[in-house]
């Protein structure tokens, strides 16, 4: 690994970054548990990754995403391993938006969530269609089946299913992360490398 | 023949490649072979009763899902000839084949991962990752994640009970449940951030972040591969090449 690359990861993992990364990995898995316990119709399996992308940075978020999918395969959903490219794209895209200050205003957060959902649907459709025939052992399989039964091709059906569910799920995820970060004390947020992404910009002094 | 973690990883890769490239009936045969190997080869046996129970439970649920998905697909994906008619409901061959192909593909992949993780202790796996050159901090993150994986459900349960005893409507209608989701999430994230800061401070005090270089502590490690690992990797590559050839050169 190049020195600059390793140094960037090292910078992001300073202080609370590394333990928080580990927590975010498990949060991705645990939120699935909470949503199923509360019977809420969302996946919410990217909250931890999005939190890390905003509070730490892109490299940590990519590590969190990859580890989450490996652990998800370990706890019983092996198909998640194949969606690692999608997770990497989500981590990079979220960190890109966060760097540009999109997590400071709720309106931008909503727009970012919708864009993220479309990106996720576009990237995951070929994987789900060509590797798994659109069958992912989840409730959305029936949506794919419905789109196929009305005459769409497999790839189209999987893409339409993604477009129907991903933008909503990712928007909710983004809004949750925004609300959680807003509810945190500034002194806690400021312990992270990406604090500048969410804390209000300091007013520029008189020149 | 000794079967260590490299051999198990190569076997998992081979089974995943086979699941994606070969027809469903060969996937079914490989599942049967894997289940037999899991009984006959000590290195592939579950580590403890929990792993054994988890394997049985997940495998049984996935098997039921394969049956349901095959049945549903053969009813709704109306391609090919009618294979059977039960109580006026026609089952189509195209849908049946599609359901069997995707179902057995997922089942084989799931079985491969379940055997790999069920028969390998997490500590040994983390040691192996560190040994082959995975950077120390990433291996540490993986280990910390596994620690949280053990403790987080317990913490969620405690927060769940605490919020419910305060009168949070955790079992109300959908809007109430979505609202209560935040009542669970906020304390969970807050407590975890506080714990992360404490652990980060502890790591710093022990000099963990001093000159952090993201290099493994144990060096590049032994890269020697056994004949079994080489054979499994070679079979995987052959299957991928075979499948790509079929895909790129269409049959006349």
């Amino acid at each position: 690994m190049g020195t600059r690359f390793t140094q960037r990861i090292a910078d992001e993992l300073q202080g609370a970054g590394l333990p928080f990364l580990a927590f975010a990995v498990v949060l991705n898995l645990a939120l699935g548990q909470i949503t199923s316990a509360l019977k809420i119709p969302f996946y919410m399996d990217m909250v931890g990754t999005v939190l890390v992308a905003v509070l730490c940075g892109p490299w940590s978020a990519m590590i969190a995403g990859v580890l989450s999918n490996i652990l998800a395969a370990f706890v019983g959903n092996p198909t998640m391993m194949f969606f690692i490219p999608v997770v990497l794209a989500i981590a990079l895209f979220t960190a890109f938006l966060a760097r540009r200050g999109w997590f400071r205003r709720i309106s931008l957060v909503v727009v970012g969530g919708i864009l993220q959902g479309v990106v996720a649907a576009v990237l995951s459709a070929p994987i789900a269609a060509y590797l798994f025939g659109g069958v992912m052992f989840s409730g959305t399989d029936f949506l794919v089946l419905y789109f196929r039964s009305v005459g769409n091709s497999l790839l189209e059906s999987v893409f339409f299913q993604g477009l129907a569910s991903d933008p909503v799920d990712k928007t909710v995820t983004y809004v949750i992360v925004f609300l959680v970060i807003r509810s945190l004390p500034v002194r806690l947020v400021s312990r992270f490398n990406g604090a500048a992404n969410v804390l209000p910009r300091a007013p520029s002094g008189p020149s | 023949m000794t079967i260590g973690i490299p051999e198990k990883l190569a076997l998992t890769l081979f089974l995943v490649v086979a699941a994606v490239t070969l027809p469903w009936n060969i996937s079914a045969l490989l599942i049967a072979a894997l289940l037999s190997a899991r009984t006959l080869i000590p290195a592939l046996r579950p580590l403890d009763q929990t792993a054994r129970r988890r394997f049985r439970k997940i495998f049984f649920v996935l098997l039921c899902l394969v049956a349901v998905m095959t049945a549903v697909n053969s009813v709704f994906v109306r391609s090919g000839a009618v294979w059977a008619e039960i109580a006026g409901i026609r089952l189509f061959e195209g849908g049946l084949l599609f359901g069997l192909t995707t179902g057995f593909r997922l089942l084989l992949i799931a079985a491969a991962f379940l055997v790999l993780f069920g028969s390998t202790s997490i500590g040994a796996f983390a040691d192996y990752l560190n040994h082959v050159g995975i950077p120390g901090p990433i291996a540490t993150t993986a280990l910390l994640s596994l620690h949280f994986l053990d403790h987080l459900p317990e913490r969620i349960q405690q927060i769940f009970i605490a919020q419910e005893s305060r009168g949070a409507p955790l079992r109300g209608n959908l809007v109430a449940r979505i609202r209560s989701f935040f009542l669970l999430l906020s304390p969970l994230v807050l407590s975890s951030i506080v714990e992360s800061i404490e652990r980060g401070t502890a790591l710093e005090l022990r000099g963990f972040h001093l000159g952090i270089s993201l290099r493994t502590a144990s060096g590049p490690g032994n890269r020697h591969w056994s004949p079994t690992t080489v054979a499994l990797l070679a079979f995987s590559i052959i299957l991928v090449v075979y499948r790509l050839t079929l895909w790129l050169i269409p049959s006349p």
Side-chain angles (χ1 to χ4, degrees):
Chain A
M1 279 189 273
T3 316
R4 277 184 63 193
F5 173 71
T6 53
Q7 193 52 48
R8 278 181 189 171
I9 300 181
D11 288 345
E12 288 182 13
L13 294 180
Q14 287 289 339
L18 195 143
F20 184 65
L21 180 58
F23 153 73
V25 169
V26 185
L27 185 69
N28 284 337
L29 304 177
L31 282 189
Q33 191 188 331
I34 295 180
T35 50
S36 67
L38 292 173
K39 298 183 180 64
I40 295 171
F42 297 114
Y43 303 122
M44 306 269 185
D45 55 351
M46 296 295 297
V47 172
T49 308
V50 173
L51 259 174
V52 172
V54 177
L55 287 179
C56 297
W59 307 109
S60 313
M62 287 198 284
I63 295 170
V66 171
L67 283 176
S68 299
N69 280 29
I70 292 171
L71 272 179
F74 166 65
V75 295
N77 190 357
T79 58
M80 295 299 281
M81 291 284 276
F82 295 88
F83 290 91
I84 284 176
V86 183
V87 168
L88 294 176
I90 288 174
L92 276 176
F93 187 74
T94 308
F96 172 78
L97 295 183
R99 285 262 168 96
R100 266 144 195 75
W102 281 48
F103 276 81
R104 287 201 182 95
R105 285 170 56 192
I106 185 75
S107 54
L108 289 176
V109 165
V110 172
V111 175
I114 294 168
L115 289 175
Q116 179 67 275
V118 175
V119 170
V122 168
L123 290 176
S124 59
I127 301 171
Y130 291 121
L131 282 181
F132 304 111
V135 180
M136 304 301 302
F137 286 150
S138 66
T140 53
D141 288 352
F142 290 95
L143 213 51
V144 176
L145 203 59
Y146 167 74
F147 284 124
R148 282 199 79 185
S149 68
V150 295
N152 293 298
S153 71
L154 179 62
L155 184 62
E156 284 169 349
S157 305
V158 176
F159 179 63
F160 290 148
Q161 175 270 318
L163 274 188
S165 60
D166 280 348
V168 180
D169 184 60
K170 297 298 177 287
T171 305
V172 172
T173 300
Y174 268 39
V175 170
I176 285 174
V177 169
F178 174 76
L179 294 176
V180 164
I181 291 174
R182 283 282 290 265
S183 69
L184 293 174
V186 172
R187 67 180 174 80
L188 286 187
V189 176
S190 61
R191 299 289 291 260
F192 292 94
N193 184 55
N197 295 334
V198 285
L199 293 178
R201 286 193 185 97
S204 51
S207 55
Chain B
M1 183 177 71
T2 54
I3 295 183
I5 294 176
E7 287 79 12
K8 285 185 200 173
L9 284 172
L11 176 66
T12 308
L13 177 72
F14 168 72
L15 291 172
V16 169
V17 170
V20 175
T21 54
L22 296 175
W24 72 269
N25 40 9
I26 298 182
S27 293
L29 279 176
L30 285 172
I31 291 169
L34 185 64
L35 292 180
S36 309
R38 186 174 157 268
T39 318
L40 298 171
I41 301 171
L44 296 179
R45 284 180 195 151
L47 286 172
D48 50 26
Q49 282 302 318
T50 313
R52 194 184 302 274
R53 271 199 302 273
R54 181 184 287 171
F55 181 90
R56 278 188 194 150
K57 188 180 160 190
I58 296 175
F59 193 79
F60 179 71
V61 169
L62 290 179
L63 202 60
C64 294
L65 279 169
V66 168
V68 171
M69 288 313 296
T70 305
V72 171
N73 273 292
S74 49
V75 172
F76 287 101
V77 181
R78 296 175 179 188
S79 64
V82 175
W83 169 68
E85 192 165 341
I86 303 166
I89 299 168
R90 288 189 292 177
L91 304 177
F92 292 85
E93 261 184 15
L96 177 78
L97 194 64
F98 174 79
L100 285 172
T101 305
T102 50
F104 275 99
R105 182 176 290 172
L106 285 175
L107 201 58
L108 179 55
I109 293 171
F113 278 106
L114 286 172
V115 168
L116 169 71
F117 288 119
S119 62
T120 312
S121 76
I122 296 302
F125 200 69
D127 279 349
Y128 176 75
L129 292 182
N130 209 11
H131 185 67
V132 293
I134 299 290
I138 295 177
T140 310
T141 307
L143 281 174
L144 266 176
S145 301
L146 293 166
H147 168 78
F148 281 136
L149 190 65
D150 267 352
H151 292 84
L152 210 64
E154 192 185 324
R155 190 183 296 174
I156 291 170
Q157 189 63 26
Q158 284 171 350
I159 296 171
F160 199 94
I161 292 166
Q163 298 292 46
E164 202 171 29
S165 65
R166 288 185 186 110
L170 299 177
R171 297 177 209 281
N173 59 24
L174 183 66
V175 177
R177 278 184 273 130
I178 289 174
R179 208 175 287 164
S180 59
F181 178 76
F182 289 96
L183 296 176
L184 294 178
L185 190 65
S186 295
L188 182 67
V189 173
L190 194 63
S191 65
S192 300
I193 285 180
V194 170
E195 191 178 329
S196 299
I197 289 169
E198 283 169 2
R199 283 176 185 270
T201 310
L203 284 170
E204 275 177 352
L205 287 172
R206 287 166 175 80
F208 186 81
H209 292 299
L210 290 175
I212 190 167
S213 63
L214 290 172
R215 271 186 230 106
T216 173
S218 56
N222 181 11
R223 302 292 175 92
H224 176 72
W225 286 348
S226 70
T228 315
T229 310
V230 173
L232 286 167
L233 291 176
F235 279 131
S236 306
I237 293 167
I238 289 167
L239 282 178
V240 171
V241 172
Y242 164 73
R243 188 66 187 179
L244 282 176
T245 313
L246 284 184
W247 188 52
L248 292 172
I249 307 167
S251 55

